[in-house]
Amino acid sequence: MKLLFLDQTGKSGGAELCLLDIATAYQNSCLVGLFEDGDFRQRLEQRKIPVQVLAEKAIAVRKSSGAIAGLLSLGQLLPLIHRVAGLSREYDAIYGNTQKALVVGAIASTLSRRPLIYHLHDILSPAHFSRANRRIAVWMANQARLVIANSKASRAAFIEAGGNPALVEVVYNGFEPEAYAVEVETNELRSSLGLTGRFIVGHFSRLSPWKGQHVLIEALQYCDETVSAVFVGDALFGEQAYVQQLQQQVQQLGLRDRVKFLGFREDVIPLMKLCDVVAHTSIAAEPFGRVIVESMLCGRPTIAAASGAAVELIDPGVTGWLTQSGDAKALAGAIESCRKFPTEAAQIAAFAQQQACQNFQLTQTNAQIHQHLQNRLSPVNYVEKAN
Ligand code: UDP
């Protein structure tokens, strides 16, 4: 099967890391087209996946942009759409991995008469997208042959926003559990970060208001003095005002000695293994939350905000802890119970690791995606379904 994958960013967010694993399975028969250059291109090249940067300039529209900004960007999109339409004639399908990729892919697919696949990594709700953007996304996605939703939560939001339920299949992100099972010597890393003797709560997400890093900083004041927070991740999409807000919050609460910002890191696994607990604090519904599964695979006690897909990934009290989104005191309570009852926390984390190894295998994910693609792209099935 020959696939033309499209992704709007050159940065490695969760949707891109998911695409990296999917495209690896098609590396001899695919092309990944990016709308901007960045470290994601290098990661694709390292895996020997053919990649091209297709746009001259990044597209200006944001998730919160209205209809006018969208229309104005059309002029910028036309050469890109033309290029994608031309390229797609060499492929069996166009596979849009992000919202702008969906828009470009949908118009190009009409021009080139190639089927469109959309991998939905977002919750299409007012908390994440403007009304205009939701309408455009749903209208375009309804032209697709298949919509792969990364969770039941994203599927539900898509349908609620007017998406056609018959198009959607839920496929969770997949992981290679062996990569997370490695033994890591953490003492040296602890000491190099000045964290020896501390109870470490790790947070692994890009810095963005909806990822709720401020909730963990607020929670720290209700935790024991020995508890430190380590933030791994950077402002990938220009959220500099939020970065400043976090630094001010740390200053105002007198927590400078207890908070570390490490920026974007590629060594997520050793850093997670270093943590006594991993906290996930999104204040808007999380579409999937790769870091939740990664923490479970690392065998770390995992506390997540109870919204979106987090409630599909964690069974509270069995494979982790769920606290209400934005509730800093409840988060502090869960951190403190892991600190005070380490044996119980370790037992839950060990069971979560076992469950995550079974339920989030990359081989399963890739097999499911391949099967759905075959079902929906095969001309026989398509004609039968249409009738
Ligand atoms: N990540 C990373 N380095 C960092 C912070 C995060 O490689 O400094 C990875 C993290 O391990 C996860 C992904 O980025 O695989 C984030 O995916 P998630 O679904 O949690 O959030 P998204 O960014 O897609 O909203």
mmCIF file of all heavy atoms in Angstrom, residues 201-246:
data_model
loop_
_atom_site.group_PDB
_atom_site.id
_atom_site.type_symbol
_atom_site.label_atom_id
_atom_site.label_comp_id
_atom_site.label_asym_id
_atom_site.label_seq_id
_atom_site.Cartn_x
_atom_site.Cartn_y
_atom_site.Cartn_z
ATOM 1 N N VAL A 201 8.406 14.416 41.518
ATOM 2 C CA VAL A 201 7.193 14.299 40.698
ATOM 3 C C VAL A 201 7.559 14.824 39.309
ATOM 4 O O VAL A 201 7.931 15.984 39.157
ATOM 5 C CB VAL A 201 6.032 15.145 41.275
ATOM 6 C CG1 VAL A 201 4.773 14.926 40.430
ATOM 7 C CG2 VAL A 201 5.776 14.786 42.731
ATOM 8 N N GLY A 202 7.439 13.952 38.312
ATOM 9 C CA GLY A 202 7.801 14.349 36.942
ATOM 10 C C GLY A 202 6.576 14.763 36.149
ATOM 11 O O GLY A 202 5.475 14.220 36.336
ATOM 12 N N HIS A 203 6.774 15.742 35.271
ATOM 13 C CA HIS A 203 5.698 16.175 34.373
ATOM 14 C C HIS A 203 6.299 16.234 32.976
ATOM 15 O O HIS A 203 7.266 16.949 32.747
ATOM 16 C CB HIS A 203 5.196 17.556 34.811
ATOM 17 C CG HIS A 203 3.915 17.951 34.162
ATOM 18 N ND1 HIS A 203 3.821 18.236 32.824
ATOM 19 C CD2 HIS A 203 2.662 18.096 34.667
ATOM 20 C CE1 HIS A 203 2.564 18.532 32.539
ATOM 21 N NE2 HIS A 203 1.839 18.453 33.629
ATOM 22 N N PHE A 204 5.734 15.469 32.033
ATOM 23 C CA PHE A 204 6.349 15.337 30.705
ATOM 24 C C PHE A 204 5.374 15.794 29.634
ATOM 25 O O PHE A 204 4.637 14.990 29.084
ATOM 26 C CB PHE A 204 6.742 13.878 30.457
ATOM 27 C CG PHE A 204 7.792 13.372 31.393
ATOM 28 C CD1 PHE A 204 7.469 13.022 32.696
ATOM 29 C CD2 PHE A 204 9.109 13.258 30.983
ATOM 30 C CE1 PHE A 204 8.440 12.573 33.580
ATOM 31 C CE2 PHE A 204 10.097 12.798 31.852
ATOM 32 C CZ PHE A 204 9.755 12.461 33.157
ATOM 33 N N SER A 205 5.356 17.093 29.372
ATOM 34 C CA SER A 205 4.466 17.597 28.320
ATOM 35 C C SER A 205 5.020 18.898 27.803
ATOM 36 O O SER A 205 5.691 19.609 28.550
ATOM 37 C CB SER A 205 3.075 17.926 28.874
ATOM 38 O OG SER A 205 2.337 16.758 29.109
ATOM 39 N N ARG A 206 4.658 19.236 26.560
ATOM 40 C CA ARG A 206 5.029 20.561 26.098
ATOM 41 C C ARG A 206 4.375 21.588 27.018
ATOM 42 O O ARG A 206 3.315 21.334 27.602
ATOM 43 C CB ARG A 206 4.632 20.765 24.639
ATOM 44 C CG ARG A 206 3.177 20.543 24.349
ATOM 45 C CD ARG A 206 3.018 20.271 22.852
ATOM 46 N NE ARG A 206 1.766 19.630 22.555
ATOM 47 C CZ ARG A 206 0.615 20.278 22.395
ATOM 48 N NH1 ARG A 206 0.565 21.587 22.532
ATOM 49 N NH2 ARG A 206 -0.480 19.627 22.115
ATOM 50 N N LEU A 207 5.029 22.758 27.156
ATOM 51 C CA LEU A 207 4.511 23.788 28.049
ATOM 52 C C LEU A 207 3.396 24.530 27.317
ATOM 53 O O LEU A 207 3.646 25.200 26.314
ATOM 54 C CB LEU A 207 5.626 24.747 28.473
ATOM 55 C CG LEU A 207 6.834 24.098 29.172
ATOM 56 C CD1 LEU A 207 7.897 25.146 29.497
ATOM 57 C CD2 LEU A 207 6.428 23.355 30.433
ATOM 58 N N SER A 208 2.193 24.385 27.825
ATOM 59 C CA SER A 208 1.026 24.982 27.176
ATOM 60 C C SER A 208 -0.068 25.102 28.235
ATOM 61 O O SER A 208 -0.212 24.188 29.060
ATOM 62 C CB SER A 208 0.580 24.054 26.045
ATOM 63 O OG SER A 208 -0.558 24.554 25.412
ATOM 64 N N PRO A 209 -0.836 26.216 28.233
ATOM 65 C CA PRO A 209 -1.803 26.403 29.319
ATOM 66 C C PRO A 209 -2.713 25.193 29.543
ATOM 67 O O PRO A 209 -2.982 24.820 30.678
ATOM 68 C CB PRO A 209 -2.613 27.631 28.870
ATOM 69 C CG PRO A 209 -1.692 28.381 27.963
ATOM 70 C CD PRO A 209 -0.823 27.359 27.294
ATOM 71 N N TRP A 210 -3.176 24.548 28.454
ATOM 72 C CA TRP A 210 -4.135 23.459 28.678
ATOM 73 C C TRP A 210 -3.472 22.192 29.227
ATOM 74 O O TRP A 210 -4.145 21.312 29.738
ATOM 75 C CB TRP A 210 -4.972 23.192 27.425
ATOM 76 C CG TRP A 210 -4.308 22.423 26.311
ATOM 77 C CD1 TRP A 210 -3.591 22.932 25.283
ATOM 78 C CD2 TRP A 210 -4.337 20.997 26.113
ATOM 79 N NE1 TRP A 210 -3.158 21.924 24.457
ATOM 80 C CE2 TRP A 210 -3.607 20.728 24.942
ATOM 81 C CE3 TRP A 210 -4.899 19.930 26.798
ATOM 82 C CZ2 TRP A 210 -3.427 19.440 24.447
ATOM 83 C CZ3 TRP A 210 -4.720 18.635 26.311
ATOM 84 C CH2 TRP A 210 -3.985 18.400 25.146
ATOM 85 N N LYS A 211 -2.141 22.124 29.153
ATOM 86 C CA LYS A 211 -1.450 20.957 29.741
ATOM 87 C C LYS A 211 -1.350 21.113 31.264
ATOM 88 O O LYS A 211 -0.987 20.170 31.964
ATOM 89 C CB LYS A 211 -0.066 20.781 29.122
ATOM 90 C CG LYS A 211 -0.099 20.306 27.667
ATOM 91 C CD LYS A 211 -0.543 18.844 27.564
ATOM 92 C CE LYS A 211 -0.387 18.300 26.158
ATOM 93 N NZ LYS A 211 -0.885 16.910 26.059
ATOM 94 N N GLY A 212 -1.647 22.327 31.775
ATOM 95 C CA GLY A 212 -1.855 22.523 33.216
ATOM 96 C C GLY A 212 -0.635 22.375 34.105
ATOM 97 O O GLY A 212 -0.769 21.981 35.270
ATOM 98 N N GLN A 213 0.555 22.745 33.617
ATOM 99 C CA GLN A 213 1.740 22.676 34.479
ATOM 100 C C GLN A 213 1.528 23.501 35.752
ATOM 101 O O GLN A 213 2.016 23.142 36.824
ATOM 102 C CB GLN A 213 2.978 23.182 33.728
ATOM 103 C CG GLN A 213 3.620 22.164 32.789
ATOM 104 C CD GLN A 213 3.008 22.132 31.397
ATOM 105 O OE1 GLN A 213 2.048 22.833 31.096
ATOM 106 N NE2 GLN A 213 3.551 21.292 30.525
ATOM 107 N N HIS A 214 0.760 24.615 35.641
ATOM 108 C CA HIS A 214 0.519 25.469 36.810
ATOM 109 C C HIS A 214 -0.204 24.724 37.935
ATOM 110 O O HIS A 214 -0.058 25.074 39.098
ATOM 111 C CB HIS A 214 -0.269 26.725 36.394
ATOM 112 C CG HIS A 214 -1.596 26.436 35.761
ATOM 113 N ND1 HIS A 214 -1.743 26.076 34.446
ATOM 114 C CD2 HIS A 214 -2.848 26.446 36.284
ATOM 115 C CE1 HIS A 214 -3.028 25.884 34.174
ATOM 116 N NE2 HIS A 214 -3.716 26.095 35.284
ATOM 117 N N VAL A 215 -0.983 23.709 37.581
ATOM 118 C CA VAL A 215 -1.723 22.965 38.617
ATOM 119 C C VAL A 215 -0.734 22.177 39.494
ATOM 120 O O VAL A 215 -0.867 22.135 40.725
ATOM 121 C CB VAL A 215 -2.763 22.005 37.980
ATOM 122 C CG1 VAL A 215 -3.549 21.273 39.070
ATOM 123 C CG2 VAL A 215 -3.699 22.755 37.051
ATOM 124 N N LEU A 216 0.294 21.609 38.862
ATOM 125 C CA LEU A 216 1.297 20.876 39.661
ATOM 126 C C LEU A 216 2.104 21.836 40.538
ATOM 127 O O LEU A 216 2.402 21.529 41.703
ATOM 128 C CB LEU A 216 2.211 20.056 38.736
ATOM 129 C CG LEU A 216 3.376 19.329 39.421
ATOM 130 C CD1 LEU A 216 2.892 18.414 40.561
ATOM 131 C CD2 LEU A 216 4.178 18.490 38.416
ATOM 132 N N ILE A 217 2.434 23.025 40.003
ATOM 133 C CA ILE A 217 3.185 23.993 40.825
ATOM 134 C C ILE A 217 2.331 24.391 42.036
ATOM 135 O O ILE A 217 2.813 24.416 43.169
ATOM 136 C CB ILE A 217 3.584 25.228 39.975
ATOM 137 C CG1 ILE A 217 4.543 24.790 38.866
ATOM 138 C CG2 ILE A 217 4.223 26.309 40.855
ATOM 139 C CD1 ILE A 217 4.908 25.878 37.876
ATOM 140 N N GLU A 218 1.046 24.620 41.777
ATOM 141 C CA GLU A 218 0.148 24.977 42.886
ATOM 142 C C GLU A 218 0.066 23.821 43.898
ATOM 143 O O GLU A 218 0.089 24.046 45.114
ATOM 144 C CB GLU A 218 -1.237 25.296 42.316
ATOM 145 C CG GLU A 218 -2.159 25.984 43.297
ATOM 146 C CD GLU A 218 -3.588 26.123 42.747
ATOM 147 O OE1 GLU A 218 -3.762 26.160 41.515
ATOM 148 O OE2 GLU A 218 -4.505 26.180 43.592
ATOM 149 N N ALA A 219 0.008 22.596 43.379
ATOM 150 C CA ALA A 219 -0.110 21.428 44.274
ATOM 151 C C ALA A 219 1.104 21.279 45.191
ATOM 152 O O ALA A 219 0.982 20.816 46.330
ATOM 153 C CB ALA A 219 -0.297 20.160 43.434
ATOM 154 N N LEU A 220 2.277 21.706 44.690
ATOM 155 C CA LEU A 220 3.523 21.522 45.474
ATOM 156 C C LEU A 220 3.424 22.162 46.857
ATOM 157 O O LEU A 220 3.973 21.646 47.832
ATOM 158 C CB LEU A 220 4.703 22.165 44.733
ATOM 159 C CG LEU A 220 5.576 21.315 43.851
ATOM 160 C CD1 LEU A 220 6.833 22.087 43.484
ATOM 161 C CD2 LEU A 220 5.945 19.994 44.518
ATOM 162 N N GLN A 221 2.689 23.303 46.943
ATOM 163 C CA GLN A 221 2.616 23.967 48.259
ATOM 164 C C GLN A 221 1.864 23.129 49.285
ATOM 165 O O GLN A 221 2.022 23.331 50.469
ATOM 166 C CB GLN A 221 1.962 25.342 48.229
ATOM 167 C CG GLN A 221 1.490 25.860 46.952
ATOM 168 C CD GLN A 221 0.421 26.940 47.121
ATOM 169 O OE1 GLN A 221 0.551 27.838 47.938
ATOM 170 N NE2 GLN A 221 -0.615 26.834 46.317
ATOM 171 N N TYR A 222 1.042 22.182 48.816
ATOM 172 C CA TYR A 222 0.297 21.334 49.757
ATOM 173 C C TYR A 222 1.019 20.010 50.009
ATOM 174 O O TYR A 222 0.508 19.151 50.696
ATOM 175 C CB TYR A 222 -1.113 21.048 49.216
ATOM 176 C CG TYR A 222 -1.860 22.296 48.802
ATOM 177 C CD1 TYR A 222 -2.243 22.491 47.481
ATOM 178 C CD2 TYR A 222 -2.172 23.282 49.735
ATOM 179 C CE1 TYR A 222 -2.922 23.636 47.087
ATOM 180 C CE2 TYR A 222 -2.848 24.438 49.349
ATOM 181 C CZ TYR A 222 -3.218 24.604 48.020
ATOM 182 O OH TYR A 222 -3.885 25.743 47.632
ATOM 183 N N CYS A 223 2.189 19.848 49.396
ATOM 184 C CA CYS A 223 2.943 18.598 49.567
ATOM 185 C C CYS A 223 4.051 18.802 50.606
ATOM 186 O O CYS A 223 4.435 19.925 50.917
ATOM 187 C CB CYS A 223 3.595 18.168 48.245
ATOM 188 S SG CYS A 223 2.436 17.708 46.962
ATOM 189 N N ASP A 224 4.585 17.680 51.068
ATOM 190 C CA ASP A 224 5.710 17.711 52.002
ATOM 191 C C ASP A 224 6.894 18.484 51.393
ATOM 192 O O ASP A 224 7.071 18.482 50.160
ATOM 193 C CB ASP A 224 6.119 16.255 52.282
ATOM 194 C CG ASP A 224 7.135 16.162 53.381
ATOM 195 O OD1 ASP A 224 6.758 16.287 54.549
ATOM 196 O OD2 ASP A 224 8.341 15.991 53.040
ATOM 197 N N GLU A 225 7.694 19.095 52.253
ATOM 198 C CA GLU A 225 8.874 19.891 51.832
ATOM 199 C C GLU A 225 9.859 19.094 50.973
ATOM 200 O O GLU A 225 10.640 19.661 50.213
ATOM 201 C CB GLU A 225 9.639 20.365 53.077
ATOM 202 C CG GLU A 225 9.028 21.567 53.770
ATOM 203 C CD GLU A 225 9.252 22.832 52.973
ATOM 204 O OE1 GLU A 225 10.310 22.955 52.351
ATOM 205 O OE2 GLU A 225 8.327 23.682 52.948
ATOM 206 N N THR A 226 9.861 17.767 51.132
ATOM 207 C CA THR A 226 10.839 16.939 50.388
ATOM 208 C C THR A 226 10.416 16.703 48.931
ATOM 209 O O THR A 226 11.157 16.073 48.170
ATOM 210 C CB THR A 226 11.004 15.564 51.057
ATOM 211 O OG1 THR A 226 9.700 14.980 51.168
ATOM 212 C CG2 THR A 226 11.637 15.672 52.435
ATOM 213 N N VAL A 227 9.224 17.161 48.564
ATOM 214 C CA VAL A 227 8.717 16.886 47.209
ATOM 215 C C VAL A 227 9.191 17.976 46.235
ATOM 216 O O VAL A 227 9.039 19.164 46.499
ATOM 217 C CB VAL A 227 7.164 16.812 47.199
ATOM 218 C CG1 VAL A 227 6.651 16.545 45.783
ATOM 219 C CG2 VAL A 227 6.667 15.749 48.174
ATOM 220 N N SER A 228 9.790 17.540 45.112
ATOM 221 C CA SER A 228 10.214 18.462 44.040
ATOM 222 C C SER A 228 9.464 18.116 42.754
ATOM 223 O O SER A 228 9.105 16.956 42.535
ATOM 224 C CB SER A 228 11.707 18.300 43.744
ATOM 225 O OG SER A 228 12.470 18.898 44.741
ATOM 226 N N ALA A 229 9.284 19.124 41.896
ATOM 227 C CA ALA A 229 8.661 18.859 40.585
ATOM 228 C C ALA A 229 9.677 19.116 39.478
ATOM 229 O O ALA A 229 10.414 20.095 39.513
ATOM 230 C CB ALA A 229 7.448 19.762 40.382
ATOM 231 N N VAL A 230 9.684 18.202 38.494
ATOM 232 C CA VAL A 230 10.583 18.343 37.343
ATOM 233 C C VAL A 230 9.718 18.406 36.086
ATOM 234 O O VAL A 230 8.927 17.498 35.830
ATOM 235 C CB VAL A 230 11.535 17.119 37.273
ATOM 236 C CG1 VAL A 230 12.333 17.139 35.987
ATOM 237 C CG2 VAL A 230 12.458 17.106 38.470
ATOM 238 N N PHE A 231 9.856 19.501 35.333
ATOM 239 C CA PHE A 231 9.057 19.675 34.112
ATOM 240 C C PHE A 231 9.927 19.396 32.895
ATOM 241 O O PHE A 231 10.923 20.082 32.655
ATOM 242 C CB PHE A 231 8.498 21.095 34.039
ATOM 243 C CG PHE A 231 7.453 21.354 35.091
ATOM 244 C CD1 PHE A 231 7.802 21.933 36.310
ATOM 245 C CD2 PHE A 231 6.133 20.975 34.879
ATOM 246 C CE1 PHE A 231 6.841 22.149 37.290
ATOM 247 C CE2 PHE A 231 5.166 21.185 35.853
ATOM 248 C CZ PHE A 231 5.524 21.780 37.067
ATOM 249 N N VAL A 232 9.529 18.385 32.127
ATOM 250 C CA VAL A 232 10.264 18.023 30.912
ATOM 251 C C VAL A 232 9.371 18.388 29.724
ATOM 252 O O VAL A 232 8.239 17.914 29.644
ATOM 253 C CB VAL A 232 10.580 16.513 30.910
ATOM 254 C CG1 VAL A 232 11.323 16.122 29.638
ATOM 255 C CG2 VAL A 232 11.387 16.149 32.153
ATOM 256 N N GLY A 233 9.874 19.246 28.844
ATOM 257 C CA GLY A 233 9.061 19.690 27.711
ATOM 258 C C GLY A 233 9.260 21.176 27.512
ATOM 259 O O GLY A 233 9.676 21.882 28.429
ATOM 260 N N ASP A 234 8.952 21.624 26.303
ATOM 261 C CA ASP A 234 9.175 23.028 25.961
ATOM 262 C C ASP A 234 7.885 23.603 25.378
ATOM 263 O O ASP A 234 6.966 22.865 25.061
ATOM 264 C CB ASP A 234 10.293 23.089 24.894
ATOM 265 C CG ASP A 234 11.057 24.388 24.999
ATOM 266 O OD1 ASP A 234 10.557 25.312 25.650
ATOM 267 O OD2 ASP A 234 12.149 24.470 24.416
ATOM 268 N N ALA A 235 7.866 24.936 25.206
ATOM 269 C CA ALA A 235 6.719 25.564 24.544
ATOM 270 C C ALA A 235 6.913 25.352 23.048
ATOM 271 O O ALA A 235 7.630 26.112 22.408
ATOM 272 C CB ALA A 235 6.670 27.040 24.893
ATOM 273 N N LEU A 236 6.300 24.318 22.498
ATOM 274 C CA LEU A 236 6.568 23.961 21.089
ATOM 275 C C LEU A 236 5.860 24.897 20.124
ATOM 276 O O LEU A 236 6.293 25.086 18.999
ATOM 277 C CB LEU A 236 6.102 22.527 20.802
ATOM 278 C CG LEU A 236 6.884 21.374 21.412
ATOM 279 C CD1 LEU A 236 6.439 20.054 20.808
ATOM 280 C CD2 LEU A 236 8.381 21.544 21.209
ATOM 281 N N PHE A 237 4.731 25.467 20.549
ATOM 282 C CA PHE A 237 3.929 26.249 19.605
ATOM 283 C C PHE A 237 3.756 27.701 20.059
ATOM 284 O O PHE A 237 2.670 28.270 19.996
ATOM 285 C CB PHE A 237 2.591 25.535 19.341
ATOM 286 C CG PHE A 237 2.792 24.121 18.832
ATOM 287 C CD1 PHE A 237 2.503 23.022 19.630
ATOM 288 C CD2 PHE A 237 3.339 23.897 17.580
ATOM 289 C CE1 PHE A 237 2.729 21.723 19.174
ATOM 290 C CE2 PHE A 237 3.570 22.599 17.114
ATOM 291 C CZ PHE A 237 3.260 21.513 17.906
ATOM 292 N N GLY A 238 4.865 28.281 20.553
ATOM 293 C CA GLY A 238 4.904 29.721 20.815
ATOM 294 C C GLY A 238 4.211 30.194 22.083
ATOM 295 O O GLY A 238 3.818 31.352 22.172
ATOM 296 N N GLU A 239 4.068 29.309 23.093
ATOM 297 C CA GLU A 239 3.357 29.722 24.321
ATOM 298 C C GLU A 239 4.302 30.392 25.315
ATOM 299 O O GLU A 239 4.351 30.021 26.498
ATOM 300 C CB GLU A 239 2.692 28.499 24.966
ATOM 301 C CG GLU A 239 1.676 27.764 24.111
ATOM 302 C CD GLU A 239 2.242 26.613 23.311
ATOM 303 O OE1 GLU A 239 3.471 26.594 23.052
ATOM 304 O OE2 GLU A 239 1.470 25.731 22.919
ATOM 305 N N GLN A 240 5.047 31.405 24.865
ATOM 306 C CA GLN A 240 6.071 32.032 25.720
ATOM 307 C C GLN A 240 5.460 32.743 26.926
ATOM 308 O O GLN A 240 6.034 32.766 28.007
ATOM 309 C CB GLN A 240 6.935 33.004 24.907
ATOM 310 C CG GLN A 240 7.932 32.326 23.985
ATOM 311 C CD GLN A 240 8.741 31.221 24.670
ATOM 312 O OE1 GLN A 240 9.119 31.330 25.837
ATOM 313 N NE2 GLN A 240 8.992 30.129 23.955
ATOM 314 N N ALA A 241 4.252 33.335 26.744
ATOM 315 C CA ALA A 241 3.603 34.048 27.858
ATOM 316 C C ALA A 241 3.327 33.061 28.997
ATOM 317 O O ALA A 241 3.475 33.395 30.179
ATOM 318 C CB ALA A 241 2.307 34.687 27.389
ATOM 319 N N TYR A 242 2.946 31.832 28.640
ATOM 320 C CA TYR A 242 2.659 30.823 29.679
ATOM 321 C C TYR A 242 3.944 30.414 30.404
ATOM 322 O O TYR A 242 3.943 30.229 31.623
ATOM 323 C CB TYR A 242 1.974 29.611 29.036
ATOM 324 C CG TYR A 242 1.542 28.556 30.047
ATOM 325 C CD1 TYR A 242 0.645 28.862 31.066
ATOM 326 C CD2 TYR A 242 2.042 27.255 29.981
ATOM 327 C CE1 TYR A 242 0.249 27.896 31.991
ATOM 328 C CE2 TYR A 242 1.640 26.289 30.896
ATOM 329 C CZ TYR A 242 0.749 26.609 31.900
ATOM 330 O OH TYR A 242 0.365 25.662 32.825
ATOM 331 N N VAL A 243 5.057 30.331 29.665
ATOM 332 C CA VAL A 243 6.340 29.974 30.290
ATOM 333 C C VAL A 243 6.689 31.024 31.353
ATOM 334 O O VAL A 243 7.076 30.683 32.485
ATOM 335 C CB VAL A 243 7.462 29.876 29.225
ATOM 336 C CG1 VAL A 243 8.813 29.627 29.869
ATOM 337 C CG2 VAL A 243 7.145 28.793 28.208
ATOM 338 N N GLN A 244 6.501 32.289 30.995
ATOM 339 C CA GLN A 244 6.785 33.375 31.957
ATOM 340 C C GLN A 244 5.859 33.289 33.161
ATOM 341 O O GLN A 244 6.280 33.454 34.298
ATOM 342 C CB GLN A 244 6.598 34.722 31.279
ATOM 343 C CG GLN A 244 7.848 35.141 30.545
ATOM 344 C CD GLN A 244 7.681 36.483 29.866
ATOM 345 O OE1 GLN A 244 6.677 37.149 30.029
ATOM 346 N NE2 GLN A 244 8.677 36.842 29.093
ATOM 347 N N GLN A 245 4.590 32.992 32.871
ATOM 348 C CA GLN A 245 3.598 32.868 33.960
ATOM 349 C C GLN A 245 4.017 31.758 34.938
ATOM 350 O O GLN A 245 3.935 31.932 36.156
ATOM 351 C CB GLN A 245 2.241 32.554 33.337
ATOM 352 C CG GLN A 245 1.100 32.423 34.329
ATOM 353 C CD GLN A 245 -0.135 31.806 33.657
ATOM 354 O OE1 GLN A 245 -0.507 32.177 32.539
ATOM 355 N NE2 GLN A 245 -0.761 30.859 34.340
ATOM 356 N N LEU A 246 4.508 30.650 34.409
ATOM 357 C CA LEU A 246 4.930 29.541 35.282
ATOM 358 C C LEU A 246 6.120 29.965 36.143
ATOM 359 O O LEU A 246 6.169 29.675 37.354
ATOM 360 C CB LEU A 246 5.316 28.311 34.446
ATOM 361 C CG LEU A 246 4.189 27.610 33.687
ATOM 362 C CD1 LEU A 246 4.739 26.483 32.824
ATOM 363 C CD2 LEU A 246 3.139 27.067 34.651
#
